[in-house]
Amino acid sequence: MFDWFRSTARRRLDAVPLSTKLLACMLVLLLVGTVGISLSIRQLVSKYLLDKTDTQLSQQAELVYNNVDLLRHKDTNQVAAGPTDYFLQIRDTHNAVVGDALVPTLKEGVVSVPTLPPDGSMGSVELNKPFTAPAVVRMGGPQTSRSTMVAAQAPWRVLALRWVAKVDDNTTNVGGVVYIGLSLSDQIDTVNRLTRYCMLVSIIIVLLGGVIASLLIQQTLNPLKRIEKTAAKIAAGDLSQRVPSAPENTEVGSLAASLNIMLARIERSFREQEETTEKMKRFVSDASHELRTPLATIHGYSELYSMQRDTPGALERADESIAHIEASSSRMTLLVEDLLSLARLDEGRGIDITQRVQLTSLLADAADDLHALDPDRGITRGIVRLDSGPGGAYLRFEQDDMPQVTLKGDGSRLRQVITNIVGNIHRYTPADSPVEVALGVLPASIELGRLSSMTSDATSLRRFIEAAEVGQSLRNGMDYAVVRFIDHGPGVPESSQSQIFERFYTADPSRARQKGGTGLGMSIAQSVVKAHHGFICASTSQGGGLTLTVVLPTGANHVNPEQAAGREDAGAKTKGKPKPEKRSRRSKEPKATK
């Protein structure tokens, strides 16, 4: 039963909005604080007034006792000769009441006296120790106001003292006990009035604090409400929404920054997933189309051979059919091999980048191969330079002997990249259009792993050129080998330049593949370059055409030529100096004298 009640209460409490909980907590704290302060003030003032009354009784006791006869017989119409608010009762040594007590009379004839021990007894009263005694009220008339009754019913503060009477100069007699008291009606009225004021102020403070707390809570929770609305829009499918920013040193600002980072990653992952799914659909469709063509050719010529094998001249036609079947089979074999190569590269297999590769030799062989394929084509070799112009820094071709560049990589795979590029130039550009092949080494202030994560477009190339400009100006950074193949053929539109690295991409809408190729060459080249922590992209050549740029890390940090020259000079200076003679520890010890 208790568990059910606790779970029910918890569910109901969880259903209360946060702003209501905060406001309720603030009101409870204000209420507890004001009530505690009011009770403390009431207790302190009451104690202070009671102590003040006790002090007054102790100080005025002798004065009241000495003027008791005058106070008892004074005319109320005359000016008072002494204090008249005191109660006074005298008792002898046997605690018997002596004479009449001095009793103050209130308005309307109401008399209020304290309750004292009975005649002839001290009871529990101690001398010189004040005590509070309830009041005994005697009505003076039928009509008595409420204020007079309240004052008359107030308790008394009484002090019991010894009194001594002198008979002559040499003899003293102990007279007995004197009870002197003061009504606490004024003190009680003061404390009650102060309590009412405290309650009124407390109510005002609680109400005002509740209003201010409500405004502050609403203002503070507004960013959370905006986050809630943004989350609702995101849940509806709009992943571009972001939480409004706030100072990150606050809890809401830190939450907003974390949520924005998370949302950016989710949106990027969602888009990457959509792109991957779209690429996979396109890849499956393209692969099916590419495989269907040779299979249809093989199937068609096989049926043709079966239909014509009994007709005259079937042997000559059979050779033609077999030739078409063999060509289609070879194309399909090449396609399957390229797909297998891409699959291995995607898995990180089939490549060894620990070999030492002479990149200059690979480019020289590629230029010779292209010249053998197209003897009428003009091929110029040169160096890649970093130059600056009105539009900023750019890569410039300079005709000269290519530098000798050696780097770590897979020689056969890098040769495959260069062969695929040369094959595309031979296949898609006129046989007499010129081509420039260039190689250079540029320092760039860019991290090694960032190149492979960059997209294959002109924007990434611009980022590398800016990093190379910084590295060249500061003369530090890592050295990168830059390979450029510049043709002057029909080129590729800028909007499609990044698509040439997609699998099965072709600029021919009919996908006839009349010029050969499987549409996987540049995809393989991109995968190989990325496996070497490099970067490849396509851009428009100056004067028309297409330029393919390959950037590969050489694995060496750039050395400032001035520092290198200084090291060589220092080495030359120390080279001619005799080396200091090495002495053993034993030679340092002094020889013993005989």
Coordinates of all heavy atoms in Angstrom, one line a residue, residues 301-302 304-306 308-309 313-328:
Y301 N 25.1 -13.7 -79.4 CA 26.0 -14.3 -80.4 C 26.0 -15.8 -80.2 O 26.1 -16.6 -81.2 CB 27.4 -13.8 -80.3 CG 27.6 -12.5 -81.1 CD1 27.6 -11.3 -80.4 CD2 27.6 -12.5 -82.5 CE1 27.7 -10.1 -81.1 CE2 27.8 -11.3 -83.2 CZ 27.8 -10.1 -82.5 OH 27.9 -8.9 -83.1
S302 N 25.8 -16.3 -79.0 CA 25.6 -17.8 -78.8 C 24.4 -18.3 -79.5 O 24.4 -19.3 -80.2 CB 25.6 -18.1 -77.3 OG 26.8 -17.7 -76.7
L304 N 22.9 -16.8 -82.0 CA 23.1 -16.7 -83.4 C 23.9 -17.8 -84.0 O 23.6 -18.3 -85.1 CB 23.8 -15.3 -83.7 CG 24.0 -15.0 -85.2 CD1 22.7 -14.9 -85.9 CD2 24.8 -13.7 -85.3
Y305 N 24.9 -18.2 -83.2 CA 25.7 -19.3 -83.7 C 24.9 -20.6 -83.7 O 25.0 -21.4 -84.7 CB 26.9 -19.5 -82.8 CG 27.7 -20.8 -83.0 CD1 28.5 -20.9 -84.2 CD2 27.6 -21.9 -82.2 CE1 29.2 -22.0 -84.4 CE2 28.3 -23.0 -82.4 CZ 29.1 -23.1 -83.6 OH 29.8 -24.3 -83.8
S306 N 24.0 -20.8 -82.7 CA 23.2 -22.0 -82.7 C 22.2 -22.1 -83.8 O 21.9 -23.1 -84.4 CB 22.4 -22.1 -81.3 OG 23.3 -22.2 -80.3
Q308 N 22.7 -20.6 -86.8 CA 23.3 -20.6 -88.1 C 24.3 -21.7 -88.3 O 25.0 -21.8 -89.3 CB 24.0 -19.3 -88.4 CG 23.0 -18.1 -88.4 CD 23.7 -16.8 -88.7 OE1 24.9 -16.7 -88.7 NE2 22.9 -15.7 -89.0
R309 N 24.5 -22.6 -87.3 CA 25.5 -23.6 -87.5 C 25.3 -24.7 -88.5 O 26.2 -25.3 -89.0 CB 25.8 -24.3 -86.1 CG 24.6 -25.0 -85.6 CD 24.9 -25.6 -84.2 NE 23.7 -26.3 -83.7 CZ 23.7 -26.9 -82.5 NH1 24.8 -26.9 -81.7 NH2 22.6 -27.5 -82.1
G313 N 28.3 -21.9 -94.9 CA 29.2 -20.8 -94.4 C 29.1 -20.5 -92.9 O 29.5 -19.4 -92.5
A314 N 28.6 -21.5 -92.2 CA 28.5 -21.4 -90.8 C 29.8 -21.2 -90.1 O 30.0 -20.6 -89.0 CB 27.7 -22.5 -90.2
L315 N 30.9 -21.9 -90.6 CA 32.2 -21.8 -90.0 C 32.8 -20.4 -89.9 O 33.3 -20.0 -88.9 CB 33.1 -22.8 -90.7 CG 34.5 -22.9 -90.0 CD1 34.4 -23.5 -88.6 CD2 35.4 -23.9 -90.9
E316 N 32.6 -19.7 -91.1 CA 33.1 -18.3 -91.1 C 32.3 -17.4 -90.1 O 32.9 -16.6 -89.4 CB 33.1 -17.8 -92.5 CG 34.0 -18.4 -93.5 CD 33.5 -19.8 -94.0 OE1 32.3 -20.1 -93.6 OE2 34.2 -20.4 -94.7
R317 N 31.0 -17.6 -90.1 CA 30.2 -16.8 -89.2 C 30.5 -17.2 -87.7 O 30.4 -16.4 -86.8 CB 28.8 -17.0 -89.5 CG 28.4 -16.3 -90.8 CD 26.9 -16.2 -91.0 NE 26.3 -17.6 -91.2 CZ 26.2 -18.1 -92.4 NH1 26.6 -17.5 -93.5 NH2 25.7 -19.4 -92.5
A318 N 30.8 -18.5 -87.5 CA 31.1 -18.9 -86.1 C 32.4 -18.2 -85.6 O 32.4 -17.8 -84.4 CB 31.3 -20.4 -86.1
D319 N 33.4 -18.0 -86.4 CA 34.6 -17.3 -86.0 C 34.2 -15.9 -85.6 O 34.7 -15.3 -84.6 CB 35.6 -17.3 -87.1 CG 36.2 -18.7 -87.4 OD1 36.0 -19.6 -86.5 OD2 36.7 -18.9 -88.5
E320 N 33.3 -15.2 -86.4 CA 32.9 -13.9 -86.0 C 32.2 -13.8 -84.7 O 32.4 -13.0 -83.8 CB 32.1 -13.3 -87.1 CG 31.6 -11.9 -86.9 CD 30.8 -11.3 -88.0 OE1 30.6 -12.1 -89.0 OE2 30.3 -10.2 -87.9
S321 N 31.3 -14.8 -84.5 CA 30.5 -14.9 -83.2 C 31.5 -15.1 -82.0 O 31.3 -14.5 -81.0 CB 29.5 -16.0 -83.3 OG 28.5 -15.7 -84.3
I322 N 32.4 -16.0 -82.2 CA 33.3 -16.3 -81.1 C 34.2 -15.1 -80.8 O 34.5 -14.8 -79.6 CB 34.2 -17.5 -81.5 CG1 33.4 -18.8 -81.6 CG2 35.3 -17.7 -80.5 CD1 32.7 -19.2 -80.3
A323 N 34.6 -14.4 -81.8 CA 35.4 -13.1 -81.6 C 34.6 -12.1 -80.8 O 35.1 -11.5 -79.8 CB 35.8 -12.5 -82.9
H324 N 33.3 -11.9 -81.1 CA 32.4 -11.0 -80.3 C 32.3 -11.5 -78.9 O 32.3 -10.7 -77.9 CB 31.1 -10.9 -81.0 CG 31.1 -10.0 -82.2 ND1 31.2 -8.6 -82.1 CD2 31.0 -10.2 -83.5 CE1 31.2 -8.1 -83.3 NE2 31.1 -9.0 -84.2
I325 N 32.1 -12.8 -78.7 CA 31.9 -13.4 -77.4 C 33.2 -13.2 -76.6 O 33.2 -12.9 -75.4 CB 31.5 -14.9 -77.5 CG1 30.1 -15.1 -78.1 CG2 31.6 -15.6 -76.2 CD1 29.7 -16.5 -78.4
E326 N 34.3 -13.4 -77.2 CA 35.6 -13.3 -76.5 C 35.8 -11.8 -76.1 O 36.3 -11.5 -75.0 CB 36.7 -13.7 -77.4 CG 38.1 -13.7 -76.7 CD 39.2 -14.2 -77.7 OE1 38.9 -14.5 -78.8 OE2 40.4 -14.2 -77.2
A327 N 35.5 -10.9 -77.0 CA 35.6 -9.5 -76.6 C 34.7 -9.1 -75.5 O 35.1 -8.4 -74.5 CB 35.3 -8.6 -77.8
S328 N 33.5 -9.6 -75.5 CA 32.6 -9.3 -74.4 C 33.0 -9.9 -73.1 O 32.9 -9.3 -72.0 CB 31.1 -9.7 -74.7 OG 30.7 -9.0 -75.9

